[in-house]
Amino acid sequence: VPTLPWWNADEQTVTLYIYLFWSLCSYLIVVGRTRYASKIDGLTWRDERLNIELQATVHRLQEEARERHAAETELRASEARYRSIFNNVVVGVFQCDPNGRFMLINSTLHRMMGYRSTDEFFADARRTDNPRNPVLALRERVIRVASRPSTSGTTLRLEQADGTPLTVILYARQLVGDDGYPGGIEGLVVNITEREAAEEKLRQQQERLAKASRIAALSEVFVAISHEVSQPLFAISNFANASLEKMEHLDQIWTMS
């Protein structure tokens, strides 16, 4: 055992050293516990803060998810409304590339051209073996009308897929991209076959009415002429009859004499 300063000390000094030793141990224990408690409190506060931030983040994500769902629902409803308007509008709507190839059409246009579906319309658009292909004929007219500066409609006489005559008014315009180059063609096709037939029927009725009016006018003229002519003829006839009677009376007198 090494020789320590307090090894040969008296009992009072040893007791003092022991007291100081236990005081130092108690101090160290208290300081360690305090620091540990501080760390625990810091960790607890940090966990609570992280928990609050996590809850706020979850709430924000839930709000964003609800807003995104509402926006997607509104977008789908808007697309459904646009699709319904696009397909059920009473005129044909189309979009073409700069070369006039049809890229998008509505249901009205394929029904107007005599096809059962848009797929059948596009299938016939890819065929080049039919010289009377109605889709190719429409494509040629679209390119021709779109190249004009005027935006007024052009009346065309086409044929449906089964050869039925079709009269339409075509509106087409050339689109220009941001780079200044042609970006495609879009337009409308209005079916006026029934209207043209009704106008033709009305025109025929008007011609018959005009003919009847001319005949009635001629009849009135003939009546007036016959009236004007019959009056002097009637007078001449009466005068002739009176002259004949007078001559017969004179003949009788001459004979008696």
Side-chain angles (χ1 to χ4, degrees), residues 5-56:
W6 47 271
W7 185 258
N8 296 322
D10 54 4
E11 183 179 358
Q12 184 176 2
T13 303
V14 173
T15 303
L16 178 60
Y17 281 139
I18 293 173
Y19 175 76
L20 292 175
F21 175 75
W22 284 111
S23 297
L24 180 60
C25 291
S26 299
Y27 173 75
L28 293 176
I29 291 172
V30 171
V31 171
R33 183 179 297 174
T34 302
R35 290 185 178 180
Y36 179 75
S38 299
K39 291 183 179 180
I40 294 298
D41 293 340
L43 292 174
T44 304
W45 177 79
R46 187 178 301 171
D47 291 341
E48 291 179 354
R49 181 178 179 183
L50 290 176
N51 189 20
I52 293 173
E53 291 179 355
L54 180 60
Q55 291 179 356

Side-chain angles (χ1 to χ4, degrees), residues 12-235:
Q12 184 176 2
T13 303
V14 173
T15 303
L16 178 60
Y17 281 139
I18 293 173
Y19 175 76
L20 292 175
F21 175 75
W22 284 111
S23 297
L24 180 60
C25 291
S26 299
Y27 173 75
L28 293 176
I29 291 172
V30 171
V31 171
R33 183 179 297 174
T34 302
R35 290 185 178 180
Y36 179 75
S38 299
K39 291 183 179 180
I40 294 298
D41 293 340
L43 292 174
T44 304
W45 177 79
R46 187 178 301 171
D47 291 341
E48 291 179 354
R49 181 178 179 183
L50 290 176
N51 189 20
I52 293 173
E53 291 179 355
L54 180 60
Q55 291 179 356
T57 303
V58 171
H59 180 71
R60 185 172 64 255
L61 292 176
Q62 290 176 347
E63 289 293 331
E64 291 179 357
R66 282 193 291 268
E67 292 177 358
R68 187 180 300 109
H69 178 71
E72 291 176 354
T73 302
E74 179 62 25
L75 179 60
R76 286 193 295 269
S78 177
E79 290 178 350
R81 289 193 297 269
Y82 170 76
R83 190 179 302 109
S84 177
I85 294 173
F86 181 75
N87 288 324
N88 297 322
V89 68
V90 296
V91 298
V93 183
F94 65 87
Q95 286 183 344
C96 302
D97 64 4
N99 296 322
R101 288 189 294 266
F102 290 98
M103 306 298 294
L104 177 66
I105 65 170
N106 65 343
S107 300
T108 303
L109 182 57
H110 79 71
R111 289 194 298 266
M112 186 187 304
M113 296 299 296
Y115 295 96
R116 292 173 294 181
S117 65
T118 55
D119 294 336
E120 186 177 351
F121 179 93
F122 285 113
D124 209 9
R126 291 188 291 268
R127 295 180 55 187
T128 58
D129 56 344
N130 184 8
R132 301 185 64 180
N133 191 326
V135 180
L136 297 182
L138 177 61
R139 174 185 172 184
E140 293 176 358
R141 303 297 180 85
V142 167
I143 296 174
R144 190 181 308 169
V145 173
S147 61
R148 301 174 184 173
S150 177
T151 58
S152 60
T154 303
T155 302
L156 305 176
R157 284 173 173 78
L158 305 172
E159 290 184 356
Q160 294 181 337
D162 58 356
T164 303
L166 177 68
T167 305
V168 301
I169 297 179
L170 175 62
Y171 300 87
R173 67 186 183 100
Q174 184 78 49
L175 301 178
V176 180
D178 297 335
D179 54 358
Y181 291 96
I185 302 172
E186 64 180 12
L188 304 174
V189 181
V190 183
N191 188 355
I192 61 170
T193 304
E194 296 181 356
R195 189 182 77 181
E196 189 179 55
E199 291 176 352
E200 178 64 20
K201 185 177 180 180
L202 178 62
R203 186 184 64 81
Q204 294 177 359
Q205 291 178 351
Q206 289 176 347
E207 289 181 355
R208 288 195 295 268
L209 180 61
K211 184 177 181 179
S213 299
R214 290 194 298 270
I215 293 174
L218 289 175
S219 300
E220 292 178 357
V221 172
F222 290 153
V223 170
I225 292 175
S226 63
H227 177 72
E228 295 296 331
V229 172
S230 63
Q231 291 296 330
L233 290 177
F234 182 74

